[in-house]
Amino acid sequence: MDTEKSLESLGLTPIESLAYVYLVANPSSTGYRVARGIGKPTANVYRALESLGRKGAVLHDRAATPLFRAVAPDDLLARLEREFMQRKAAAARELKALRPDEGDERIYALKSFDQVLARARIMLASARRVVMMDAMSDLAAALSTEIDDARRRGVRVLIRARVPLPHRVSDGSVLGEHVDTRPDTRPAPGRHPSLRMAIDAREALMVWFSVGDDRFRDALWTRSDFLARSQHDALAAERCCVQIETGMVEGLSVDEVEAVFEEWKSLRAMV
């Protein structure tokens, strides 16, 4: 992203961005010189300079020959940041006053990979007690910050992760080494990889990806109590099977099998 596009993303118009960048490089310029420098109509440039003045981005020297000077970039960015934070706080207050429909149990289709990641992050941030997850290693790594944050809040995040999981979290540990992360084999060839999540048995996310690429065939999210509970119980049972299957290779004892079943029962009772 070039400088002008960066400024546009912060709230300046395209012509304002061009004029400001020109004035940073050419201080104390007339409006006519700015217009020539950026290749825009003089009248439009003067309007942009007046707008920049109101936004605190440009100073206007009203001498015999009016000159314009850009405010220092650090000062402008600090001002834009303050204004953004004020707008964010105002939006948060207004949104908090709204009452979302928590009883909505409809099933929603997600249409893009960005939507999938955004929804998974929102779910992890809202988790209170337990998160059940089955994810490919790269997806689990992409969500590692939110997983780490949830675990720090005391939420149990139990992951059946398709190995390997090299990503390190904020405490320096590898995501796949966490006691609540169970590395497992990749899906068999020809099977569609997936991301499945259940949060506190109150909402669920299910995504089926195409084989061999990042596109997905279907992605569903719901707050249906029935579907969320079903997903939670299914993932808890699959975790139990993975633990027993892994342990059998190492000579699992009867006591260890009983411990696995006790954990399975405790996970179902958590929500």
Side-chain angles (χ1 to χ4, degrees):
M1 183 182 290
D2 58 25
T3 306
E4 288 82 4
K5 291 295 183 183
S6 298
L7 290 171
E8 288 176 37
S9 70
L10 294 173
L12 300 188
T13 67
I15 194 169
E16 287 173 354
S17 300
L18 288 169
Y20 178 78
V21 170
Y22 182 86
L23 285 171
V24 170
N26 302 274
S28 296
S29 295
T30 64
Y32 177 76
R33 183 183 174 194
V34 174
R36 290 288 300 272
I38 65 175
K40 298 294 181 181
T42 303
N44 293 351
V45 169
Y46 271 104
R47 282 195 292 271
L49 291 171
E50 290 174 3
S51 177
L52 287 169
R54 290 191 296 271
K55 293 177 179 178
V58 164
L59 300 175
H60 186 185
D61 178 5
R62 299 183 183 278
T65 302
L67 301 174
F68 297 89
R69 175 184 291 273
V71 170
D74 286 347
D75 294 339
L76 173 64
L77 293 175
R79 179 190 180 98
L80 292 174
E81 182 180 15
R82 287 195 302 272
E83 292 174 351
F84 170 79
M85 295 305 295
Q86 290 168 357
R87 291 194 298 271
K88 177 184 175 184
R93 288 193 298 270
E94 293 167 4
L95 290 170
K96 191 174 181 180
L98 302 176
R99 295 186 179 275
D101 184 7
E102 296 292 347
D104 182 3
E105 294 197 350
R106 286 170 288 191
I107 300 172
Y108 293 93
L110 306 181
K111 298 299 186 181
S112 72
F113 186 69
D114 287 343
Q115 270 191 317
V116 167
L117 281 183
R119 175 51 55 185
R121 287 175 174 136
I122 291 170
M123 291 171 68
L124 285 163
S126 68
R128 301 164 191 162
R129 302 193 67 187
V130 59
V131 175
M132 303 297 303
M133 182 186 302
D134 176 14
M136 297 298 291
S137 58
D138 52 350
L139 280 170
L143 298 169
S144 61
T145 298
E146 291 75 18
I147 292 170
D148 192 26
D149 288 344
R151 283 171 168 165
R152 281 202 302 269
R153 297 196 312 271
V155 177
R156 283 200 73 183
V157 183
L158 298 108
I159 307 170
R160 179 187 180 191
R162 309 302 179 156
V163 293
L165 263 179
H167 196 90
R168 293 187 179 276
V169 294
S170 61
D171 64 1
S173 63
V174 175
L175 184 63
E177 291 177 351
H178 193 281
V179 65
D180 278 335
T181 298
R182 303 293 304 184
D184 196 11
T185 57
R186 292 184 180 276
R191 284 190 60 190
H192 294 289
S194 66
L195 166 65
R196 293 179 295 150
M197 295 175 62
I199 307 297
D200 298 324
R202 59 182 168 81
E203 59 181 305
L205 174 65
M206 294 158 280
V207 188
W208 291 267
F209 292 91
S210 297
V211 175
D213 56 41
D214 292 333
R215 293 177 300 175
F216 55 84
R217 298 167 59 87
D218 209 353
L220 305 174
W221 168 75
T222 183
R223 283 201 183 101
S224 163
D225 287 339
F226 171 70
L227 292 177
R229 164 58 72 175
S230 298
Q231 187 76 280
H232 174 90
D233 289 350
L235 291 170
E238 288 176 24
R239 176 182 172 83
C240 174
C241 291
V242 170
Q243 288 175 284
I244 291 175
E245 184 178 20
T246 303
M248 287 175 63
V249 176
E250 302 169 356
L252 199 66
S253 68
V254 173
D255 288 343
E256 288 170 326
V257 171
E258 288 180 353
V260 171
F261 276 105
E262 287 301 319
E263 183 189 39
W264 168 65
K265 288 190 285 187
S266 71
L267 289 174
R268 297 191 66 197
M270 284 185 72
V271 286

